[in-house]
Structures are given as structure tokens and as C-alpha cells.
């Protein structure tokens, strides 16, 4: 068998992806407190869970391929038309669909250090990733991105709040930046964590889709994080009608009936998620304060996770935590997901022991 004759050029030239989750592939997650993938520890709302189960009972029938009820619920949430929506089975396939819709070989995609799936999106299509360093405060370097634009730039990715840093961009800075970008460059805003934000100027870019409808602006959302549906798989993109229509021509990922039903039910029970948010924000504050008290450098977060520098080897910290039954991630420094208060307190207790060991062996 001649592999070179079987696979496409894109697969042969980019055989490996950069997904950070690969480092967790050998872990037995059932034995760990999961504080590394930014999951909502409180899960779906009661109505969403019930809807999921009821829909699963009819799994012998095909789902609504057009996702009509789901689209209507999302459109009603934002006060927009369903013609402004592209839906998919979570952010990951939507990122891939976006890459297929817009990128050609040698196209440049600008981004600051962020979610690795955007690197995959570009490189698997033989595009060129141009990574601009973050600002000193770990925020997106908008000035650097603007300076990096060339005649080959096709897309700019902005994750707000950013993953893995947790930092955010104020809305007025985003508007100022968009006005600097040539109108034929796609600007993709990933807002997977925007619902967790509490700062007044941490706002969604959705209004820009309509206020600047002459620009290809995309805003991506997921139900995985805030809505507790990481394993259910549902997400969407908001864009102007012309852009949405074009993206919808790309064969996408089918959304199972149970996922569609869960979304519709979840959006009818927003009070539940507001209560979850209050607990997660309180947990975020608790972990941040405790880590700072332990001497860690803690980066301010508007998400449901916290990035921190333990001032020792992040891999050592992660390995020690795994031995104690806690899973975190180390995409840059250490990143811990906010969990239940019980898990948060256990994590801090573990960190006290681990950092004490690190100081003795330094």
C-alpha cells in the first residue's frame, strides 16, 4: 500500500495536531477529580437532562437535520434571525467547518497563543499560522495583530475570554481593533467562556455582526462550558446572513436529537445557570486568592478556569496532583478548572503539600 497515493497532501504534510488534550489520553479519568478541561461540575439543568433522556429513548429515529427548534431557541436568546446561525456538534467541528469555508493553502491566520484547535484548523489546510505574543498582562495583543496583517492575511482569531489565560479584552478595544482591519479579512471571535464573565466591559462581539454587517465577522459559542453539555455536543456561529449562508454550504456535523432537545430545554431554564455561575465565580475567587497566598502568580480570569505560575515545573505540579487524584492542564503554566467547593478546597490542600515539596527540592 502506497500511503502517499492514498492520503491528501494536507494530511501527509501535517500528520500531527497540537491538541493539548492528547497529554491526558492515558489517564483513567474515572478515578480523578476533573479540574483540567473546564467542564461545568454542576451539569445540565434539570429540564435539559430530562429532555436529553426522553430524546435518547427515541434514538431509533433520525433527528431534525435542520435543527429548527434548536435554532429558534438560540435566535430568540440573542434576538436575531435563524438565518444568522450556523450550528454544529460543539465548537471543534465548527472551527473545522470555518477553516474549510475560508482557508486556502498559504493563507495566513493571525492569532495570539490560544486554543490549539485553531492551529489545527489552519495547518491541516496548509495555511500559515502567524502567532503574535500576548501582552505583558496576558491579554490579546491587538496592536501586534494589527501590525502583523499582510496581503496574505485571511483570518484573525480572537478568543475572548482567552483560553488558556482567562484574560479578556474590553469591548471598546475590540471595536477599535475591528475598525483597523481590512474589510475582506475574516474576524472570528471564540466566546466559549463569555457567559462566565463578570466585568462590565467584558462583552460579546455579537452586536458587531449587525453593526458592521459589511465585514465578515463570526462569533462562535458553545454549550459545552456554561451550559454543562461538554459530552452532549452542541454549538453555533452567529454571522450576517450572507456569511452564514456560505458556511452552511459546507457539510457539517449532525447534531443528535438528544443534544438538540437539551439545548432547547436549557435555554428555557436560565435561572439554573445563573445559580451555577454564582457558585463558579465564588470558586474562582477562592482559588485565585488561595493560590496567591501560596506564592503563585495568578492571572486574572473571566472564565471558569484559572491560569497560574507555581514558580516550579508545571509538569511536576501536574504529576503530583494526578497522584493525589486531581487532573489539571498545563497549556502554558498551570491551568485549573473551577469545580465544586469541595474539590476546590481539596485542590488547594494538595497544592500546599506540593509547593512545600517543591521548595525543599529547589
Amino acid at each position: 500500500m502506497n500511503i502517499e497515493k492514498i492520503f491528501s497532501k494536507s494530511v501527509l504534510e501535517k500528520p500531527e495536531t497540537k491538541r493539548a488534550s492528547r497529554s491526558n489520553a492515558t489517564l483513567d479519568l474515572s478515578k480523578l477529580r476533573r479540574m483540567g478541561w473546564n467542564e461545568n461540575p454542576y451539569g445540565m439543568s434539570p429540564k435539559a437532562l430530562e429532555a436529553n433522556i426522553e430524546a435518547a429513548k427515541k434514538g431509533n429515529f433520525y433527528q431534525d437535520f435542520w435543527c429548527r427548534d434548536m435554532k429558534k431557541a438560540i435566535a430568540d436568546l440573542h434576538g436575531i434571525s435563524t438565518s444568522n446561525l450556523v450550528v454544529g456538534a460543539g465548537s471543534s467541528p465548527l472551527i473545522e467547518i470555518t477553516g474549510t469555508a475560508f482557508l486556502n493553502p498559504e493563507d495566513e491566520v493571525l492569532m495570539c497563543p490560544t486554543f490549539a484547535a485553531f492551529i489545527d484548523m489552519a495547518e491541516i489546510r496548509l495555511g500559515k499560522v502567524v502567532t503574535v505574543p500576548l501582552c505583558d498582562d496576558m491579554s490579546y495583543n491587538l496592536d501586534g495583530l494589527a501590525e502583523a496583517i499582510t496581503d496574505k492575511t485571511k483570518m484573525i482569531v480572537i478568543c475572548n475570554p482567552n483560553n488558556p489565560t482567562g484574560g479578556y479584552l474590553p469591548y471598546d478595544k475590540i471595536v477599535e481593533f475591528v475598525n483597523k482591519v481590512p474589510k475582506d479579512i475574516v474576524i472570528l471571535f471564540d466566546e466559549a467562556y463569555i457567559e462566565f464573565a463578570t466585568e462590565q466591559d467584558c462583552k460579546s462581539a455579537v452586536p458587531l455582526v449587525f453593526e458592521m454587517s459589511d465585514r465578515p465577522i463570526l462569533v462562535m459559542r458553545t454549550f459545552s462550558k456554561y451550559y454543562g453539555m461538554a459530552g452532549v455536543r452542541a454549538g453555533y456561529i452567529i454571522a450576517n446572513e450572507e456569511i452564514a449562508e456560505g458556511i452552511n454550504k459546507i457539510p457539517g456535523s449532525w447534531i443528535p436529537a438528544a443534544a438538540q432537545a437539551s439545548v432547547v430545554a436549557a435555554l428555557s431554564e436560565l435561572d439554573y445557570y445563573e445559580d451555577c455561575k454564582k457558585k463558579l465565580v465564588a470558586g474562582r475567587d477562592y482559588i485565585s486568592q488561595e493560590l496567591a497566598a501560596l506564592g503563585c502568580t495568578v492571572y486574572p480570569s473571566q472564565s471558569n478556569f484559572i491560569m497560574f505560575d507555581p514558580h516550579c515545573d508545571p509538569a511536576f505540579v501536574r504529576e503530583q496532583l494526578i497522584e493525589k487524584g486531581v487532573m489539571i492542564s498545563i497549556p502554558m503554566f498551570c491551568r485549573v478548572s473551577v469545580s465544586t467547593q469541595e474539590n476546590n478546597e481539596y485542590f488547594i490542600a494538595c497544592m500546599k503539600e506540593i509547593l512545600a515539596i517543591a521548595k525543599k527540592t529547589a
Side-chain angles (χ1 to χ4, degrees):
M1 179 172 61
N2 190 332
I3 293 296
E4 292 185 359
K5 289 184 178 181
I6 296 173
F7 282 114
S8 68
K9 184 178 179 182
S10 62
V11 172
L12 291 171
E13 294 193 8
K14 301 293 180 184
E16 294 293 336
T17 63
K18 295 180 173 62
R19 298 293 172 90
S21 60
R22 285 174 178 255
S23 63
N24 296 305
T26 60
L27 296 179
D28 184 352
L29 297 177
S30 66
K31 297 180 180 179
L32 297 173
R33 301 183 193 220
R34 295 163 63 124
M35 300 179 71
W37 287 345
N38 310 333
E39 297 154 321
N40 183 338
Y42 301 105
M44 290 184 283
S45 70
K47 288 183 180 179
L49 181 59
E50 181 181 358
N52 185 285
I53 294 171
E54 288 303 311
K57 292 178 180 178
K58 301 177 182 178
N60 53 312
F61 297 110
Y62 285 114
Q63 73 275 33
D64 175 8
F65 294 109
W66 299 272
C67 303
R68 286 165 289 200
D69 290 343
M70 175 177 162
K71 284 184 175 180
K72 184 179 184 306
I74 296 170
D76 289 347
L77 176 69
H78 292 283
I80 61 176
S81 169
T82 56
S83 59
N84 295 115
L85 293 173
V86 179
V87 297
S91 290
S92 293
L94 287 172
I95 290 170
E96 293 303 313
I97 291 168
T98 301
T100 300
F102 295 107
L103 298 181
N104 295 306
E106 303 303 321
D107 281 345
E108 292 181 352
V109 180
L110 306 189
M111 66 185 76
C112 290
T114 190
F115 185 39
F118 291 110
I119 297 175
D120 299 343
M121 171 196 71
E123 291 191 343
I124 199 65
R125 290 162 183 83
L126 304 183
K128 179 182 178 182
V129 176
V130 178
T131 304
V132 175
L134 293 164
C135 295
D136 291 340
D137 64 355
M138 290 293 169
S139 66
Y140 251 70
N141 186 353
L142 295 181
D143 290 339
L145 287 172
E147 293 172 2
I149 293 173
T150 71
D151 57 0
K152 292 185 178 180
T153 302
K154 186 63 174 293
M155 183 184 295
I156 300 174
V157 175
I158 297 176
C159 186
N160 191 40
N162 192 22
N163 179 13
T165 66
Y168 79 99
L169 288 167
Y171 185 74
D172 60 341
K173 296 295 184 183
I174 289 175
V175 174
E176 181 182 335
F177 171 75
V178 172
N179 280 317
K180 294 179 181 178
V181 177
K183 291 186 176 181
D184 58 349
I185 294 177
V186 177
I187 305 178
L188 171 59
F189 291 95
D190 177 5
E191 295 184 346
Y193 301 94
I194 196 79
E195 292 98 341
F196 295 108
T198 53
E199 293 289 344
Q200 292 298 310
D201 57 349
C202 185
K203 300 179 182 179
S204 173
V206 168
L208 299 183
V209 171
F210 305 95
E211 294 170 7
M212 302 181 179
S213 58
D214 59 335
R215 294 175 177 272
I217 296 174
L218 285 63
V219 179
M220 185 177 296
R221 294 282 189 93
T222 180
F223 287 91
S224 295
K225 310 302 182 182
Y226 184 79
Y227 292 98
M229 299 185 193
V232 175
R233 311 309 302 149
Y236 59 98
I237 294 171
I238 296 176
N240 69 43
E241 291 189 15
E242 185 177 13
I243 294 296
E245 181 181 6
I247 300 174
N248 276 319
K249 293 178 181 178
I250 307 299
S253 55
W254 299 116
I255 304 177
Q260 295 183 41
S262 298
V263 167
V264 173
L267 294 181
S268 73
E269 202 168 18
L270 296 179
D271 288 347
Y272 168 84
Y273 293 102
E274 284 295 327
D275 289 340
C276 289
K277 177 177 178 177
K278 290 177 183 177
K279 289 183 282 189
L280 291 169
V281 169
R284 183 175 73 196
D285 292 342
Y286 167 79
I287 292 176
S288 297
Q289 293 165 6
E290 293 293 324
L291 286 174
L294 291 174
C296 300
T297 298
V298 180
Y299 295 92
S301 175
Q302 284 295 291
S303 61
N304 66 333
F305 59 84
I306 299 149
M307 188 175 78
F308 65 98
D309 182 355
H311 300 295
C312 61
D313 183 8
F316 168 77
V317 172
R318 182 176 184 272
E319 289 167 3
Q320 290 294 307
L321 283 168
I322 288 173
E323 289 186 9
K324 296 178 182 297
V326 178
M327 183 267 284
I328 68 165
S329 296
I330 50 172
M332 289 177 64
F333 297 105
C334 291
R335 188 194 68 190
V336 60
S337 307
V338 182
S339 187
T340 62
Q341 189 58 19
E342 177 187 353
N343 285 345
N344 297 339
E345 292 176 2
Y346 181 74
F347 163 74
I348 292 298
C350 292
M351 286 301 300
K352 290 178 180 178
E353 296 178 7
I354 293 168
L355 293 177
I357 294 172
K359 287 181 180 179
K360 290 180 180 179
T361 58

